[in-house]
Amino acid sequence: MRVGRGFAFVDLSGFTSFTDAHGDEEAGHVLTQFRAAVREVSSRRGVRVAKWQGDGAMFVSVERGPLVEAVLEIEEKIDNATSPLRLRGGMTFGHVILFEGDDYIGSAVNLAARLCDVAAPHEILVSCELEDFIPPWAIAEPAVPVDVRGFAHPVPVLRVHRREDVADNVKDPVCRMEIPRDAVTIWRGEQGFCSASCSDIWDASAH
């Protein structure tokens, strides 16, 4: 069965070296912070953690926007937690084969994993299919095409990062609730909403 899905791979850059230098207990503390951030954000954004990979994780999402937002928010949470390690990641969207109900086969999965492998610390690389789904509080910049193992030609990619000139809090124009920028559930242009119901009310009012 062929389906359209978004995929993201993230990991903590330098985790193995950090473990060697600081020991298992300190590494376990860093990993606990990372997984707590992943669980909290992915649950709220509606993005599924398909599998844990040691110091990393694989995400699958039907929707592209929530996937991009989730990875960017996880990165910020790790930064704000003063983690000694930095996140790196790769994201793609494409049509793949859903295999035996819980696995995916296709170049989109492989590319997301490879982009994470080649990303630098604090760098998130995304395929161009995600360009229209970058939230207003982030910026996508063209990056040098990446030579990716298993792909015949260099792959055009974007480098995505959070904007520093956007307010930390956003006011929902319907319920007037003030919420953290990265807790916004749905964006409509520059407007952020705390829930789908507020977004629906806004849409129904012909804005």
Side-chain angles (χ1 to χ4, degrees):
M1 178 180 178
R2 188 167 287 275
V3 296
R5 293 288 188 272
F7 300 95
F9 288 79
V10 300
D11 67 28
L12 294 172
S13 184
F15 183 79
T16 301
S17 297
F18 180 85
T19 301
D20 181 59
H22 297 274
D24 295 341
E25 289 189 8
E26 186 62 27
H29 175 68
V30 171
L31 189 57
T32 296
Q33 284 186 323
F34 164 71
R35 292 197 174 186
V38 168
R39 289 189 180 98
E40 191 276 319
V41 174
S42 61
S43 176
R44 175 161 41 78
R45 293 285 185 189
V47 175
R48 184 167 69 89
V49 180
K51 62 178 71 172
W52 297 103
Q53 299 179 305
D55 62 326
M58 172 189 174
F59 304 90
V60 179
S61 178
V62 175
E63 303 294 333
R64 283 172 265 199
L67 179 68
V68 178
E69 293 167 2
V71 172
L72 288 168
E73 186 181 350
I74 290 166
E75 180 190 41
E76 185 165 33
K77 277 186 172 293
I78 290 171
D79 288 350
N80 291 342
T82 63
S83 172
L85 301 178
R86 293 292 171 257
L87 195 77
R88 63 177 181 171
M91 284 186 276
T92 62
F93 184 90
H95 286 84
V96 297
I97 295 174
L98 178 58
F99 186 68
E100 294 186 349
D102 61 356
D103 204 357
Y104 299 90
I105 299 174
S107 60
V109 187
N110 298 333
L111 178 58
R114 300 291 183 261
L115 290 180
C116 181
D117 289 343
V118 301
H122 225 311
E123 183 175 53
I124 298 172
L125 300 176
V126 307
S127 63
C128 295
E129 293 86 357
L130 295 172
E131 183 172 12
D132 292 338
F133 297 86
I134 307 303
W137 45 269
I139 296 174
E141 301 172 331
V144 175
V146 175
D147 287 315
V148 180
R149 180 165 53 87
F151 288 75
H153 304 287
V155 178
V157 295
L158 303 169
R159 181 180 296 109
V160 180
H161 59 88
R162 305 182 307 274
R163 290 176 53 172
E164 301 298 332
D165 59 345
V166 176
D168 289 338
N169 294 318
V170 174
K171 182 175 286 187
D172 187 312
V174 175
C175 69
R176 313 306 296 175
M177 180 186 296
E178 193 169 274
I179 52 179
R181 176 195 63 197
D182 294 333
V184 171
T185 301
I186 296 175
W187 289 90
R188 293 282 186 269
E190 297 296 324
Q191 299 289 351
F193 300 89
C194 68
S195 65
S197 59
C198 281
S199 173
D200 291 342
I201 293 170
W202 179 262
D203 291 343
S205 64
H207 285 91

